[in-house]
Amino acid sequence: MTDSRSKFPPRSVLFLSTEVYPYAKTGGLADVSAALPQELRELGHDVRVLMPKYGFIGEKKQKIHLINRLQGMEFKVGDRVVTGNVKSSAILTQKTRIQMYMLESEEYFQRNGLYVDPATGKDYADNDERFLVYALSAFELCRRLMWKPDIIHCNDWQGGLVPALLRGALKDDPFFAGTKTVFTIHNLAYQGTFPASSFAKLGLPNDFLDPDGLEFYGAISYMKAGIACADAVTTVSENYAHEIRTAEFGNGLDGLLNKRKRDLYGILNGIDLAVWDPAKDVNIVRPFSIDDLSGKEECKKDLCYSMGIPYTEGRPIIGMIARLSDQKGLDLVAAIMENIINSGAQFVLLGSGEKKYEDFFAKLQKRNPEQVGAYLGFHDSFAHKIEAGSDLFLMPSRYEPCGLNQMYSMHYGTIPVVRKTGGLADTVIDIDAATRRTGATGFSFEKYDARAFWKALDRALQTYHNDKNVWRQMQLNGMKKDFSWDRSAVRYAEVYEKVLGASKGPRH
Ligand code: ADP
C-alpha cells in the first residue's frame, strides 16, 4: 500500500454511520463502518466517525467519556430547540486508532432499537427528527472542535440530510465553504421516507421540497436528499451501481440515479481480516488456514454441538446467517426445505427479523431436530462459528447491494450458493466447464425461483459428495481470493480527490 498511500494528500474526513462494529450492529453497514475508516487512516487521512449513542451502548465497556467543549449542544427541530452532547470513544486496533464521536440525546437515542422499536417491530415514529438531529450534530461537532473537514462521508438514508443541509441551510457558512460530501448507498430499499409535513422541521429552503430535491411521490425521502445533494454518490458493488439505475432495482430513484450517473461509483466492500480470519478467530474452537484445513472439521463438530444437532462425518452442513427479511430470499429457502431434508444434509440458521420467518424456522427445527438447528436472535460469535463450521452457505437474495457473508464464507473455506445479483454476482465465480480449471469459488443461479435455486444447491451437494478434489480446490480458490479492504479504500480516496477537485456541486 505504500505506493498508493503517497498518492493522496492527507484529508480530514468526518465519517457518519449509525451503526459501527462493535458498538452497534444490525447488518453489514456496521462492519464496513469499522473497517473502512481504519483503511482510510492507513492511507494517511484524518478520519473520525460520528454515530448515535444508543441506550444499550455501555459507557464503561466502550470507554466513552465526556469532552467539555462538546457538551450542551442545541439543535433546531422545527420550532423546538433540543439539546444533546457528543462524547468520545476510540476503536483501537493493532494498526491504528479511530476517534469515535457519539451523539448522546436522552430524547432521541437513549433507546434499545436503532431504527425500529423492538417492542412494536415498527419504525420509531420520530425517526425524521432523530436523524435530523444526528445530521445537525455533525456540523455542530466540527464547529466546536474548530475542525474543518474536507469531506463528510455519509451513509444510507440516516445520513442523507447532511448533503442537503450543507447545500441549503449552510450554503453561505464560511466554516464549511471547503467541505464536500460523499454519500454511500448500502441498501437503496430503506429510504427514510416521511410525510411532507416533516419538511418544515428541517430548516431547509422551500425550494428543496421539489422533485429535484427531497420530494418523493408526495412525501419526503432522506435517501433522495443524499443522492440529490451529495457531491458524489457511491454504492457497494459495481454491479449494484448498474442495477440501481434500472426500474427493477431503483426503488423509484432510478431516474435521479441516472441523472447523477457521472458522479455515481460502485466500490466493492472488503472484509476486515482483523475480525474475520479463520487463522486468528477467537470465536472458533480450532483455527485453520489455507495451509492446513484440518481445524475446520473440529469447527464443524463444535457447530453441531452448539446448535444441538448430531455430528456425522461426511454429512454436509448448509449454513445461513441473515436478517430475516424478504430481501434475503427466505421464501425460496422455505420452498426447497423439503428437498434439503430429503437430501440428508443438515441446515443451520442464525437470524432475526420478520415474525413469519422466525415462526417458520422455529417450527422447522422442532419437526427436524436432527437436521435443523436455528438460533433466532442476533449473536456475533455464533456467526463466526457458522462461517467456520459449515460446508455450504446460502444467499439466494432477491437483491444484494454487496453482501459480506459470501466473502466471509469463501475466506473460511465454506462454499457459497448464491443468486447472481448485486455484489454476489461480482464476488462469486460459479463452477462451469471453464472455471472448473481457472478458479471457481461457488454455485450460482439467476432466475429468482425455487427450481433454479435447488438446481444450484443440488449441484453443490453432488460435488460435495462425489467430487472431493474439485470441492477442495474450490475451497482453496475461495480462501485465496483477496477480499481485503485496501484496494477499495484507495478507490474511496480517489473519489474524495475527485470531489475536492471539482468546483461546483450538483444542485443550488
Ligand atoms: P446486510 O447488511 O444486508 O444485513 P451483509 O451480508 O452485508 O447483509 O452483512 C450482514 C452482517 O450482519 C454480517 O456480518 C453477518 O454476519 C451479520 N449478521 C446478520 N444477521 C446476524 C445475526 N442474527 N447474528 C449475528 N450476526 C448477524
Side-chain angles (χ1 to χ4, degrees), residues 25-32 186-187 190 269 276 321-324 327-328 350-352 375-384 387 393 395 400-406 408:
K25 169 168 171 174
T26 68
L29 172 62
D31 296 13
V32 171
H186 295 262
N187 192 333
Y190 298 87
N269 285 336
W276 295 94
I321 305 164
R323 286 182 294 108
L324 301 181
Q327 175 197 342
K328 300 294 178 181
L350 168 63
S352 62
Y375 183 99
L376 301 171
F378 201 91
H379 197 304
D380 198 32
S381 76
F382 242 146
H384 292 248
E387 292 294 5
F393 193 92
M395 289 183 81
E400 194 60 73
C402 175
L404 294 173
N405 278 314
Q406 81 281 12
Y408 298 150

mmCIF file of all heavy atoms in Angstrom, residues 25-32 186-187 190 269 276 321-324 327-328 350-352 375-384 387 393 395 400-406 408, ligand 1:
data_model
loop_
_atom_site.group_PDB
_atom_site.id
_atom_site.type_symbol
_atom_site.label_atom_id
_atom_site.label_comp_id
_atom_site.label_asym_id
_atom_site.label_seq_id
_atom_site.Cartn_x
_atom_site.Cartn_y
_atom_site.Cartn_z
ATOM 1 N N LYS A 25 -24.771 -2.956 15.868
ATOM 2 C CA LYS A 25 -24.770 -3.598 14.548
ATOM 3 C C LYS A 25 -26.124 -4.234 14.277
ATOM 4 O O LYS A 25 -26.666 -4.937 15.118
ATOM 5 C CB LYS A 25 -23.679 -4.671 14.525
ATOM 6 C CG LYS A 25 -23.713 -5.603 13.312
ATOM 7 C CD LYS A 25 -22.454 -6.438 13.200
ATOM 8 C CE LYS A 25 -22.591 -7.503 12.127
ATOM 9 N NZ LYS A 25 -21.371 -8.255 11.874
ATOM 10 N N THR A 26 -26.681 -3.938 13.097
ATOM 11 C CA THR A 26 -27.831 -4.728 12.638
ATOM 12 C C THR A 26 -27.481 -5.466 11.347
ATOM 13 O O THR A 26 -28.148 -6.402 10.960
ATOM 14 C CB THR A 26 -29.093 -3.872 12.371
ATOM 15 O OG1 THR A 26 -28.847 -3.025 11.239
ATOM 16 C CG2 THR A 26 -29.485 -3.024 13.561
ATOM 17 N N GLY A 27 -26.439 -5.018 10.652
ATOM 18 C CA GLY A 27 -26.081 -5.671 9.389
ATOM 19 C C GLY A 27 -24.714 -5.234 8.927
ATOM 20 O O GLY A 27 -23.888 -4.730 9.714
ATOM 21 N N GLY A 28 -24.472 -5.407 7.630
ATOM 22 C CA GLY A 28 -23.152 -5.190 7.064
ATOM 23 C C GLY A 28 -22.610 -3.773 7.226
ATOM 24 O O GLY A 28 -21.391 -3.584 7.284
ATOM 25 N N LEU A 29 -23.500 -2.775 7.303
ATOM 26 C CA LEU A 29 -23.044 -1.391 7.444
ATOM 27 C C LEU A 29 -22.110 -1.233 8.648
ATOM 28 O O LEU A 29 -21.127 -0.491 8.592
ATOM 29 C CB LEU A 29 -24.262 -0.461 7.580
ATOM 30 C CG LEU A 29 -23.965 0.999 7.914
ATOM 31 C CD1 LEU A 29 -23.130 1.664 6.825
ATOM 32 C CD2 LEU A 29 -25.271 1.785 8.120
ATOM 33 N N ALA A 30 -22.408 -1.944 9.720
ATOM 34 C CA ALA A 30 -21.583 -1.827 10.932
ATOM 35 C C ALA A 30 -20.165 -2.328 10.671
ATOM 36 O O ALA A 30 -19.188 -1.720 11.130
ATOM 37 C CB ALA A 30 -22.215 -2.623 12.074
ATOM 38 N N ASP A 31 -20.042 -3.412 9.935
ATOM 39 C CA ASP A 31 -18.717 -3.964 9.627
ATOM 40 C C ASP A 31 -17.936 -2.989 8.743
ATOM 41 O O ASP A 31 -16.765 -2.710 8.975
ATOM 42 C CB ASP A 31 -18.847 -5.312 8.891
ATOM 43 C CG ASP A 31 -19.497 -6.390 9.754
ATOM 44 O OD1 ASP A 31 -20.063 -6.046 10.800
ATOM 45 O OD2 ASP A 31 -19.442 -7.573 9.381
ATOM 46 N N VAL A 32 -18.631 -2.459 7.738
ATOM 47 C CA VAL A 32 -17.995 -1.522 6.813
ATOM 48 C C VAL A 32 -17.540 -0.264 7.564
ATOM 49 O O VAL A 32 -16.437 0.236 7.351
ATOM 50 C CB VAL A 32 -18.985 -1.126 5.692
ATOM 51 C CG1 VAL A 32 -18.439 0.001 4.835
ATOM 52 C CG2 VAL A 32 -19.313 -2.342 4.836
ATOM 53 N N HIS A 186 -25.905 1.880 0.941
ATOM 54 C CA HIS A 186 -25.652 0.473 1.306
ATOM 55 C C HIS A 186 -26.858 -0.393 0.984
ATOM 56 O O HIS A 186 -26.730 -1.602 0.801
ATOM 57 C CB HIS A 186 -25.291 0.359 2.786
ATOM 58 C CG HIS A 186 -23.995 1.045 3.111
ATOM 59 N ND1 HIS A 186 -22.799 0.380 3.206
ATOM 60 C CD2 HIS A 186 -23.718 2.364 3.298
ATOM 61 C CE1 HIS A 186 -21.839 1.249 3.465
ATOM 62 N NE2 HIS A 186 -22.370 2.465 3.517
ATOM 63 N N ASN A 187 -28.028 0.225 0.976
ATOM 64 C CA ASN A 187 -29.235 -0.518 0.611
ATOM 65 C C ASN A 187 -30.304 0.491 0.212
ATOM 66 O O ASN A 187 -30.844 1.204 1.065
ATOM 67 C CB ASN A 187 -29.706 -1.372 1.805
ATOM 68 C CG ASN A 187 -30.765 -2.377 1.378
ATOM 69 O OD1 ASN A 187 -31.499 -2.152 0.410
ATOM 70 N ND2 ASN A 187 -30.848 -3.479 2.094
ATOM 71 N N TYR A 190 -34.179 0.811 1.761
ATOM 72 C CA TYR A 190 -34.542 1.501 3.014
ATOM 73 C C TYR A 190 -34.299 2.980 2.784
ATOM 74 O O TYR A 190 -33.157 3.418 2.679
ATOM 75 C CB TYR A 190 -33.704 0.969 4.174
ATOM 76 C CG TYR A 190 -33.941 -0.502 4.430
ATOM 77 C CD1 TYR A 190 -33.213 -1.481 3.756
ATOM 78 C CD2 TYR A 190 -34.913 -0.925 5.333
ATOM 79 C CE1 TYR A 190 -33.445 -2.835 3.974
ATOM 80 C CE2 TYR A 190 -35.155 -2.273 5.566
ATOM 81 C CZ TYR A 190 -34.407 -3.224 4.875
ATOM 82 O OH TYR A 190 -34.639 -4.560 5.098
ATOM 83 N N ASN A 269 -17.299 -3.564 -1.195
ATOM 84 C CA ASN A 269 -16.847 -3.656 0.193
ATOM 85 C C ASN A 269 -15.738 -4.695 0.312
ATOM 86 O O ASN A 269 -15.663 -5.636 -0.478
ATOM 87 C CB ASN A 269 -17.993 -4.106 1.104
ATOM 88 C CG ASN A 269 -18.995 -3.005 1.358
ATOM 89 O OD1 ASN A 269 -18.665 -1.821 1.246
ATOM 90 N ND2 ASN A 269 -20.205 -3.380 1.705
ATOM 91 N N TRP A 276 -12.365 -11.176 10.789
ATOM 92 C CA TRP A 276 -12.805 -12.382 10.080
ATOM 93 C C TRP A 276 -11.613 -13.089 9.452
ATOM 94 O O TRP A 276 -11.329 -12.910 8.274
ATOM 95 C CB TRP A 276 -13.844 -12.013 9.008
ATOM 96 C CG TRP A 276 -15.113 -11.474 9.566
ATOM 97 C CD1 TRP A 276 -15.427 -10.161 9.750
ATOM 98 C CD2 TRP A 276 -16.259 -12.224 10.002
ATOM 99 N NE1 TRP A 276 -16.690 -10.047 10.282
ATOM 100 C CE2 TRP A 276 -17.225 -11.300 10.443
ATOM 101 C CE3 TRP A 276 -16.560 -13.588 10.061
ATOM 102 C CZ2 TRP A 276 -18.462 -11.690 10.947
ATOM 103 C CZ3 TRP A 276 -17.804 -13.969 10.548
ATOM 104 C CH2 TRP A 276 -18.728 -13.038 10.987
ATOM 105 N N ILE A 321 -26.847 -17.111 7.549
ATOM 106 C CA ILE A 321 -26.926 -16.034 8.554
ATOM 107 C C ILE A 321 -27.569 -14.852 7.851
ATOM 108 O O ILE A 321 -27.069 -14.416 6.814
ATOM 109 C CB ILE A 321 -25.522 -15.578 9.025
ATOM 110 C CG1 ILE A 321 -24.702 -16.761 9.539
ATOM 111 C CG2 ILE A 321 -25.632 -14.492 10.082
ATOM 112 C CD1 ILE A 321 -23.209 -16.451 9.655
ATOM 113 N N ALA A 322 -28.672 -14.386 8.365
ATOM 114 C CA ALA A 322 -29.321 -13.292 7.634
ATOM 115 C C ALA A 322 -30.307 -12.540 8.504
ATOM 116 O O ALA A 322 -30.893 -13.104 9.428
ATOM 117 C CB ALA A 322 -30.063 -13.833 6.415
ATOM 118 N N ARG A 323 -30.472 -11.263 8.154
ATOM 119 C CA ARG A 323 -31.659 -10.560 8.653
ATOM 120 C C ARG A 323 -32.834 -11.279 8.010
ATOM 121 O O ARG A 323 -32.823 -11.535 6.801
ATOM 122 C CB ARG A 323 -31.647 -9.097 8.174
ATOM 123 C CG ARG A 323 -30.647 -8.224 8.876
ATOM 124 C CD ARG A 323 -30.715 -6.779 8.391
ATOM 125 N NE ARG A 323 -30.302 -6.641 7.001
ATOM 126 C CZ ARG A 323 -31.128 -6.380 5.985
ATOM 127 N NH1 ARG A 323 -32.418 -6.192 6.186
ATOM 128 N NH2 ARG A 323 -30.673 -6.282 4.753
ATOM 129 N N LEU A 324 -33.823 -11.646 8.803
ATOM 130 C CA LEU A 324 -34.942 -12.398 8.225
ATOM 131 C C LEU A 324 -35.921 -11.422 7.574
ATOM 132 O O LEU A 324 -36.920 -11.020 8.166
ATOM 133 C CB LEU A 324 -35.611 -13.258 9.306
ATOM 134 C CG LEU A 324 -34.673 -14.285 9.978
ATOM 135 C CD1 LEU A 324 -35.413 -15.119 11.008
ATOM 136 C CD2 LEU A 324 -34.018 -15.196 8.935
ATOM 137 N N GLN A 327 -35.865 -9.560 1.477
ATOM 138 C CA GLN A 327 -34.678 -9.347 0.625
ATOM 139 C C GLN A 327 -33.809 -10.598 0.508
ATOM 140 O O GLN A 327 -33.202 -10.859 -0.528
ATOM 141 C CB GLN A 327 -33.821 -8.209 1.210
ATOM 142 C CG GLN A 327 -32.520 -8.002 0.452
ATOM 143 C CD GLN A 327 -31.472 -7.192 1.231
ATOM 144 O OE1 GLN A 327 -31.806 -6.500 2.202
ATOM 145 N NE2 GLN A 327 -30.239 -7.271 0.815
ATOM 146 N N LYS A 328 -33.752 -11.371 1.579
ATOM 147 C CA LYS A 328 -32.752 -12.433 1.659
ATOM 148 C C LYS A 328 -33.181 -13.744 0.996
ATOM 149 O O LYS A 328 -32.498 -14.761 1.127
ATOM 150 C CB LYS A 328 -32.352 -12.656 3.123
ATOM 151 C CG LYS A 328 -31.747 -11.420 3.782
ATOM 152 C CD LYS A 328 -30.396 -11.048 3.154
ATOM 153 C CE LYS A 328 -29.815 -9.779 3.771
ATOM 154 N NZ LYS A 328 -28.536 -9.397 3.174
ATOM 155 N N LEU A 350 -28.854 -18.714 11.547
ATOM 156 C CA LEU A 350 -28.788 -17.666 12.566
ATOM 157 C C LEU A 350 -29.460 -16.447 11.967
ATOM 158 O O LEU A 350 -29.049 -15.967 10.909
ATOM 159 C CB LEU A 350 -27.317 -17.354 12.895
ATOM 160 C CG LEU A 350 -27.032 -16.105 13.721
ATOM 161 C CD1 LEU A 350 -27.647 -16.200 15.118
ATOM 162 C CD2 LEU A 350 -25.518 -15.883 13.833
ATOM 163 N N GLY A 351 -30.515 -15.985 12.615
ATOM 164 C CA GLY A 351 -31.179 -14.822 12.034
ATOM 165 C C GLY A 351 -32.251 -14.280 12.945
ATOM 166 O O GLY A 351 -32.754 -14.967 13.833
ATOM 167 N N SER A 352 -32.576 -13.019 12.714
ATOM 168 C CA SER A 352 -33.713 -12.442 13.418
ATOM 169 C C SER A 352 -34.378 -11.471 12.469
ATOM 170 O O SER A 352 -33.740 -10.977 11.528
ATOM 171 C CB SER A 352 -33.258 -11.736 14.687
ATOM 172 O OG SER A 352 -32.399 -10.681 14.337
ATOM 173 N N TYR A 375 -30.982 -20.601 15.454
ATOM 174 C CA TYR A 375 -30.864 -19.646 16.557
ATOM 175 C C TYR A 375 -31.519 -18.357 16.088
ATOM 176 O O TYR A 375 -31.039 -17.708 15.162
ATOM 177 C CB TYR A 375 -29.393 -19.403 16.909
ATOM 178 C CG TYR A 375 -29.215 -18.491 18.094
ATOM 179 C CD1 TYR A 375 -28.961 -19.006 19.366
ATOM 180 C CD2 TYR A 375 -29.323 -17.105 17.953
ATOM 181 C CE1 TYR A 375 -28.817 -18.158 20.467
ATOM 182 C CE2 TYR A 375 -29.185 -16.259 19.046
ATOM 183 C CZ TYR A 375 -28.928 -16.791 20.290
ATOM 184 O OH TYR A 375 -28.790 -15.956 21.365
ATOM 185 N N LEU A 376 -32.637 -18.035 16.716
ATOM 186 C CA LEU A 376 -33.386 -16.851 16.277
ATOM 187 C C LEU A 376 -33.030 -15.675 17.178
ATOM 188 O O LEU A 376 -33.530 -15.548 18.287
ATOM 189 C CB LEU A 376 -34.887 -17.137 16.302
ATOM 190 C CG LEU A 376 -35.279 -18.319 15.401
ATOM 191 C CD1 LEU A 376 -36.724 -18.720 15.596
ATOM 192 C CD2 LEU A 376 -35.022 -17.993 13.936
ATOM 193 N N GLY A 377 -32.122 -14.881 16.728
ATOM 194 C CA GLY A 377 -31.656 -13.735 17.507
ATOM 195 C C GLY A 377 -30.384 -13.233 16.867
ATOM 196 O O GLY A 377 -29.995 -13.704 15.798
ATOM 197 N N PHE A 378 -29.769 -12.274 17.521
ATOM 198 C CA PHE A 378 -28.515 -11.729 16.998
ATOM 199 C C PHE A 378 -27.382 -12.225 17.895
ATOM 200 O O PHE A 378 -27.440 -12.082 19.108
ATOM 201 C CB PHE A 378 -28.565 -10.202 16.993
ATOM 202 C CG PHE A 378 -27.582 -9.600 16.044
ATOM 203 C CD1 PHE A 378 -27.942 -9.334 14.728
ATOM 204 C CD2 PHE A 378 -26.290 -9.320 16.449
ATOM 205 C CE1 PHE A 378 -27.025 -8.795 13.831
ATOM 206 C CE2 PHE A 378 -25.368 -8.785 15.565
ATOM 207 C CZ PHE A 378 -25.741 -8.518 14.251
ATOM 208 N N HIS A 379 -26.388 -12.856 17.325
ATOM 209 C CA HIS A 379 -25.323 -13.442 18.141
ATOM 210 C C HIS A 379 -24.026 -13.424 17.346
ATOM 211 O O HIS A 379 -23.823 -14.233 16.443
ATOM 212 C CB HIS A 379 -25.715 -14.877 18.514
ATOM 213 C CG HIS A 379 -24.928 -15.420 19.658
ATOM 214 N ND1 HIS A 379 -23.556 -15.468 19.665
ATOM 215 C CD2 HIS A 379 -25.332 -15.947 20.841
ATOM 216 C CE1 HIS A 379 -23.144 -15.999 20.803
ATOM 217 N NE2 HIS A 379 -24.201 -16.289 21.540
ATOM 218 N N ASP A 380 -23.169 -12.483 17.721
ATOM 219 C CA ASP A 380 -21.978 -12.250 16.926
ATOM 220 C C ASP A 380 -21.065 -13.482 16.822
ATOM 221 O O ASP A 380 -20.660 -13.880 15.724
ATOM 222 C CB ASP A 380 -21.219 -11.067 17.540
ATOM 223 C CG ASP A 380 -20.221 -10.479 16.575
ATOM 224 O OD1 ASP A 380 -20.499 -10.509 15.362
ATOM 225 O OD2 ASP A 380 -19.167 -10.022 17.033
ATOM 226 N N SER A 381 -20.769 -14.119 17.946
ATOM 227 C CA SER A 381 -19.781 -15.201 17.855
ATOM 228 C C SER A 381 -20.372 -16.440 17.182
ATOM 229 O O SER A 381 -19.659 -17.225 16.555
ATOM 230 C CB SER A 381 -19.176 -15.522 19.222
ATOM 231 O OG SER A 381 -20.061 -16.249 19.989
ATOM 232 N N PHE A 382 -21.683 -16.606 17.278
ATOM 233 C CA PHE A 382 -22.345 -17.685 16.547
ATOM 234 C C PHE A 382 -22.143 -17.529 15.035
ATOM 235 O O PHE A 382 -21.986 -18.499 14.298
ATOM 236 C CB PHE A 382 -23.853 -17.677 16.823
ATOM 237 C CG PHE A 382 -24.326 -18.934 17.495
ATOM 238 C CD1 PHE A 382 -25.356 -18.892 18.421
ATOM 239 C CD2 PHE A 382 -23.760 -20.163 17.189
ATOM 240 C CE1 PHE A 382 -25.792 -20.036 19.052
ATOM 241 C CE2 PHE A 382 -24.189 -21.312 17.811
ATOM 242 C CZ PHE A 382 -25.208 -21.248 18.750
ATOM 243 N N ALA A 383 -22.166 -16.281 14.592
ATOM 244 C CA ALA A 383 -21.970 -16.021 13.160
ATOM 245 C C ALA A 383 -20.606 -16.566 12.717
ATOM 246 O O ALA A 383 -20.487 -17.200 11.662
ATOM 247 C CB ALA A 383 -22.082 -14.526 12.870
ATOM 248 N N HIS A 384 -19.598 -16.362 13.542
ATOM 249 C CA HIS A 384 -18.262 -16.867 13.201
ATOM 250 C C HIS A 384 -18.246 -18.394 13.196
ATOM 251 O O HIS A 384 -17.620 -19.021 12.341
ATOM 252 C CB HIS A 384 -17.234 -16.335 14.205
ATOM 253 C CG HIS A 384 -17.009 -14.856 14.097
ATOM 254 N ND1 HIS A 384 -15.828 -14.311 13.654
ATOM 255 C CD2 HIS A 384 -17.823 -13.800 14.349
ATOM 256 C CE1 HIS A 384 -15.915 -12.990 13.658
ATOM 257 N NE2 HIS A 384 -17.125 -12.652 14.085
ATOM 258 N N GLU A 387 -19.833 -19.613 9.942
ATOM 259 C CA GLU A 387 -18.945 -19.448 8.787
ATOM 260 C C GLU A 387 -17.846 -20.518 8.801
ATOM 261 O O GLU A 387 -17.476 -21.056 7.759
ATOM 262 C CB GLU A 387 -18.300 -18.055 8.775
ATOM 263 C CG GLU A 387 -19.247 -16.896 8.521
ATOM 264 C CD GLU A 387 -19.855 -16.894 7.126
ATOM 265 O OE1 GLU A 387 -19.639 -17.845 6.352
ATOM 266 O OE2 GLU A 387 -20.572 -15.921 6.819
ATOM 267 N N PHE A 393 -22.909 -22.336 2.195
ATOM 268 C CA PHE A 393 -23.564 -21.156 2.770
ATOM 269 C C PHE A 393 -24.565 -20.606 1.757
ATOM 270 O O PHE A 393 -24.237 -20.423 0.586
ATOM 271 C CB PHE A 393 -22.512 -20.089 3.099
ATOM 272 C CG PHE A 393 -23.038 -18.996 3.970
ATOM 273 C CD1 PHE A 393 -22.912 -19.088 5.357
ATOM 274 C CD2 PHE A 393 -23.668 -17.891 3.424
ATOM 275 C CE1 PHE A 393 -23.406 -18.076 6.183
ATOM 276 C CE2 PHE A 393 -24.166 -16.882 4.243
ATOM 277 C CZ PHE A 393 -24.035 -16.978 5.618
ATOM 278 N N MET A 395 -27.125 -17.848 0.075
ATOM 279 C CA MET A 395 -27.542 -16.441 -0.077
ATOM 280 C C MET A 395 -28.369 -16.302 -1.365
ATOM 281 O O MET A 395 -27.890 -15.770 -2.371
ATOM 282 C CB MET A 395 -26.324 -15.511 -0.125
ATOM 283 C CG MET A 395 -25.632 -15.400 1.211
ATOM 284 S SD MET A 395 -24.238 -14.248 1.221
ATOM 285 C CE MET A 395 -25.038 -12.663 1.396
ATOM 286 N N GLU A 400 -28.948 -7.845 -3.608
ATOM 287 C CA GLU A 400 -27.893 -7.833 -2.580
ATOM 288 C C GLU A 400 -26.866 -6.773 -2.966
ATOM 289 O O GLU A 400 -26.030 -7.000 -3.847
ATOM 290 C CB GLU A 400 -27.232 -9.210 -2.502
ATOM 291 C CG GLU A 400 -26.374 -9.430 -1.280
ATOM 292 C CD GLU A 400 -27.147 -9.303 0.023
ATOM 293 O OE1 GLU A 400 -27.938 -10.202 0.362
ATOM 294 O OE2 GLU A 400 -26.949 -8.265 0.699
ATOM 295 N N PRO A 401 -26.935 -5.584 -2.350
ATOM 296 C CA PRO A 401 -26.039 -4.496 -2.745
ATOM 297 C C PRO A 401 -24.574 -4.933 -2.813
ATOM 298 O O PRO A 401 -23.888 -4.672 -3.789
ATOM 299 C CB PRO A 401 -26.276 -3.451 -1.654
ATOM 300 C CG PRO A 401 -27.697 -3.698 -1.215
ATOM 301 C CD PRO A 401 -27.898 -5.178 -1.313
ATOM 302 N N CYS A 402 -24.103 -5.578 -1.766
ATOM 303 C CA CYS A 402 -22.758 -6.159 -1.819
ATOM 304 C C CYS A 402 -22.813 -7.556 -1.230
ATOM 305 O O CYS A 402 -22.565 -8.541 -1.894
ATOM 306 C CB CYS A 402 -21.744 -5.300 -1.046
ATOM 307 S SG CYS A 402 -20.128 -6.089 -0.981
ATOM 308 N N GLY A 403 -23.198 -7.619 0.050
ATOM 309 C CA GLY A 403 -23.176 -8.908 0.752
ATOM 310 C C GLY A 403 -21.785 -9.129 1.308
ATOM 311 O O GLY A 403 -20.788 -9.014 0.586
ATOM 312 N N LEU A 404 -21.727 -9.387 2.592
ATOM 313 C CA LEU A 404 -20.425 -9.684 3.210
ATOM 314 C C LEU A 404 -20.289 -11.168 3.501
ATOM 315 O O LEU A 404 -19.214 -11.738 3.427
ATOM 316 C CB LEU A 404 -20.286 -8.892 4.518
ATOM 317 C CG LEU A 404 -20.205 -7.374 4.374
ATOM 318 C CD1 LEU A 404 -20.248 -6.706 5.744
ATOM 319 C CD2 LEU A 404 -18.927 -6.974 3.648
ATOM 320 N N ASN A 405 -21.411 -11.796 3.819
ATOM 321 C CA ASN A 405 -21.324 -13.188 4.276
ATOM 322 C C ASN A 405 -20.747 -14.139 3.232
ATOM 323 O O ASN A 405 -20.083 -15.107 3.587
ATOM 324 C CB ASN A 405 -22.698 -13.670 4.733
ATOM 325 C CG ASN A 405 -22.988 -13.213 6.153
ATOM 326 O OD1 ASN A 405 -22.139 -13.337 7.023
ATOM 327 N ND2 ASN A 405 -24.168 -12.684 6.380
ATOM 328 N N GLN A 406 -21.008 -13.884 1.962
ATOM 329 C CA GLN A 406 -20.424 -14.775 0.955
ATOM 330 C C GLN A 406 -18.901 -14.643 0.938
ATOM 331 O O GLN A 406 -18.189 -15.607 0.687
ATOM 332 C CB GLN A 406 -21.034 -14.520 -0.442
ATOM 333 C CG GLN A 406 -20.477 -13.355 -1.226
ATOM 334 C CD GLN A 406 -21.036 -12.016 -0.773
ATOM 335 O OE1 GLN A 406 -21.687 -11.895 0.270
ATOM 336 N NE2 GLN A 406 -20.797 -10.973 -1.557
ATOM 337 N N TYR A 408 -17.062 -13.692 3.664
ATOM 338 C CA TYR A 408 -16.606 -14.368 4.885
ATOM 339 C C TYR A 408 -16.574 -15.875 4.628
ATOM 340 O O TYR A 408 -15.633 -16.566 4.999
ATOM 341 C CB TYR A 408 -17.546 -14.091 6.066
ATOM 342 C CG TYR A 408 -17.652 -12.640 6.488
ATOM 343 C CD1 TYR A 408 -18.824 -12.138 7.055
ATOM 344 C CD2 TYR A 408 -16.581 -11.762 6.337
ATOM 345 C CE1 TYR A 408 -18.937 -10.817 7.454
ATOM 346 C CE2 TYR A 408 -16.689 -10.431 6.728
ATOM 347 C CZ TYR A 408 -17.863 -9.963 7.281
ATOM 348 O OH TYR A 408 -17.971 -8.661 7.664
HETATM 349 P P1 ADP B 1 -26.993 -6.990 5.300
HETATM 350 O O1 ADP B 1 -26.128 -5.812 5.536
HETATM 351 O O2 ADP B 1 -27.972 -6.841 4.189
HETATM 352 O O3 ADP B 1 -27.664 -7.479 6.546
HETATM 353 P P2 ADP B 1 -24.488 -8.409 4.750
HETATM 354 O O4 ADP B 1 -24.208 -9.789 4.258
HETATM 355 O O5 ADP B 1 -23.828 -7.301 4.007
HETATM 356 O O6 ADP B 1 -26.059 -8.215 4.815
HETATM 357 O O7 ADP B 1 -23.987 -8.279 6.249
HETATM 358 C C1 ADP B 1 -24.616 -8.907 7.309
HETATM 359 C C2 ADP B 1 -23.721 -8.819 8.527
HETATM 360 O O8 ADP B 1 -24.543 -8.984 9.682
HETATM 361 C C3 ADP B 1 -22.702 -9.926 8.584
HETATM 362 O O9 ADP B 1 -21.578 -9.506 9.329
HETATM 363 C C4 ADP B 1 -23.468 -11.024 9.341
HETATM 364 O O10 ADP B 1 -22.616 -11.938 9.938
HETATM 365 C C5 ADP B 1 -24.218 -10.204 10.340
HETATM 366 N N1 ADP B 1 -25.465 -10.794 10.828
HETATM 367 C C6 ADP B 1 -26.662 -10.837 10.210
HETATM 368 N N2 ADP B 1 -27.596 -11.423 10.999
HETATM 369 C C7 ADP B 1 -26.951 -11.772 12.146
HETATM 370 C C8 ADP B 1 -27.365 -12.411 13.357
HETATM 371 N N3 ADP B 1 -28.620 -12.805 13.553
HETATM 372 N N4 ADP B 1 -26.444 -12.583 14.322
HETATM 373 C C9 ADP B 1 -25.153 -12.182 14.149
HETATM 374 N N5 ADP B 1 -24.705 -11.571 13.025
HETATM 375 C C10 ADP B 1 -25.588 -11.363 12.043
#
